[in-house]
Amino acid sequence: MSDSPVARTFDQTAQIYERARPGWPPEAIHHAVRALGLDRTATVVDLGAGTGKLTRILVEHFDRVVAVEPLDGMRGLLESLIPKVESLEGAAERIPLTDNSADAVFCAEAFHWFDGEPALAEIERVLRLGGGLVLMWSAPAKPTEPSIAAAGALLNERGSSERQVNRYDSGEWREPFAESRFGELRQVQFDHTQIVDREQLLAYFASMSWIAVLPEDERTTLLEDVRGVLEADTYTRFWRADLYWTTLVA
C-alpha cells in the first residue's frame, strides 16, 4: 500500500469510512465466484480489507477467508465487526501467506493504492496456478437524489492542494498487468443504491482522503459549510460497482 499521508488518513477515519462508504452488491460477488469456478472450500484473500465491507460477503461464500489490512484502525474495526474472520496485519507488497496457498485474491477499492509491480508479484506468489484475482471499485452511476450539486460545487471551489486525480479513473493501475503472469482482465458492472441520512452523507465527504488530511480547523469549517447546503433528511445514492477479474495463467 502507498505509504503517503493521504493513503494513511484512512487509519484515522475508520469509523467514518465504515458508516458512510457504500457496501457491495451481493450479485457482483456471485458473478466473480461463478466466473472463477470457486467453491466453498476455496481459500480466498481480501487484500486491503479495510473495515471488511467485502469481507462480510466473502465469509458467506467460503470456509476460509483471510483479511489482510495494514492499518491498525481499519483492521481493529474489521475484527470487531467480523470476530470469526482470520485477520492479518500485512500489505499487498508483503502478503503474510505462504507460496501457492490461495485460490483467489479480492481487492475492493484498494488496488489503486498499491505499488503495482511488487503487489502483483506478491499476489502471483500466494496464488495457486489458475487462481483468480478480482478487483472492485465503486463509482457514481448517476446524480444523488435529491441533488447534492450545491455541496459538490462548494467542495470543488474549496478543493485542497492535497486533492489528487482519482487513481482509479486515471487507469494507471492497469499498467503493471502488461508484464505480469495474469491473463486478460475482464470487466462487468453492477448498479446498486444506498440510502443515507444527512450525517452519513457528510461522513462520506469527511472520509475522502483529501479532506481528511486538512488541518482540523479547516476541515471542520469546510464540513460545517457543506452541512449548511444539505437540506434533505435522506438521500438516495446511485452507485456502479466495477468488477474486474483475471486468472494466473503461467
Side-chain angles (χ1 to χ4, degrees):
M1 178 179 178
S2 168
D3 205 31
S4 72
V6 176
R8 294 209 163 260
T9 58
F10 293 122
D11 201 29
Q12 305 167 24
T13 59
Q15 292 281 355
I16 295 173
Y17 190 98
E18 169 62 25
R19 180 185 183 193
R21 293 295 179 109
W24 299 100
E27 56 268 29
I29 312 308
H30 295 322
H31 182 93
V33 170
R34 291 193 302 269
L36 295 174
L38 299 170
D39 61 29
R40 187 160 194 90
T41 63
T43 294
V44 303
V45 180
D46 187 358
L47 187 58
T51 64
K53 285 185 173 288
L54 176 59
T55 316
R56 65 200 66 176
I57 303 177
L58 294 177
V59 296
E60 297 175 0
H61 289 273
F62 304 105
D63 293 332
R64 187 184 182 204
V65 177
V66 182
V68 177
E69 170 57 42
L71 302 178
D72 293 342
M74 288 283 192
R75 195 174 61 259
L77 184 53
L78 180 152
E79 291 168 354
S80 69
L81 293 170
I82 319 170
K84 293 183 179 181
V85 77
E86 184 176 349
S87 172
L88 299 175
E89 189 279 331
E93 301 81 7
R94 48 177 184 87
I95 302 173
L97 294 172
T98 58
D99 297 357
N100 309 312
S101 59
D103 298 292
V105 172
F106 287 73
C107 306
E109 210 72 52
F111 191 84
H112 59 293
W113 289 112
F114 300 165
D115 189 352
E117 291 185 8
L120 277 184
E122 270 290 87
I123 294 169
E124 291 171 0
R125 180 185 65 78
V126 302
L127 279 177
R128 300 183 177 103
L129 188 62
L133 173 60
V134 179
L135 311 178
M136 300 171 63
W137 283 275
S138 280
K142 61 180 182 178
T144 298
E145 296 178 358
S147 174
I148 58 171
L154 193 155
L155 290 172
N156 287 334
E157 176 187 345
R158 306 261 282 275
S160 165
S161 60
E162 294 286 347
R163 192 172 189 175
Q164 300 182 3
V165 174
N166 185 295
R167 291 168 177 251
Y168 167 54
D169 290 343
S170 74
E172 293 180 3
W173 61 271
R174 293 176 176 269
E175 295 175 2
F177 282 91
E179 304 298 326
S180 76
R181 296 167 52 204
F182 286 100
E184 177 187 0
L185 273 170
R186 288 161 286 182
Q187 180 186 8
V188 67
Q189 298 177 344
F190 297 88
D191 290 334
H192 60 118
T193 58
Q194 177 193 25
I195 308 298
V196 297
D197 61 26
R198 184 185 294 107
E199 293 306 311
Q200 285 175 295
L201 183 55
L202 194 69
Y204 175 84
F205 295 136
S207 76
M208 295 167 67
S209 56
W210 73 271
I211 293 179
V213 297
L214 293 173
E216 183 176 358
D217 57 344
E218 186 177 346
R219 182 174 65 252
T220 299
T221 298
L222 174 59
L223 292 173
E224 283 300 317
D225 290 345
V226 171
R227 179 185 276 110
V229 300
L230 296 176
E231 298 179 348
D233 292 328
T234 60
Y235 295 84
T236 301
R237 309 207 73 188
F238 300 92
W239 295 101
R240 183 190 78 234
D242 291 345
L243 185 149
Y244 300 80
W245 77 98
T246 183
T247 55
L248 190 63
V249 296

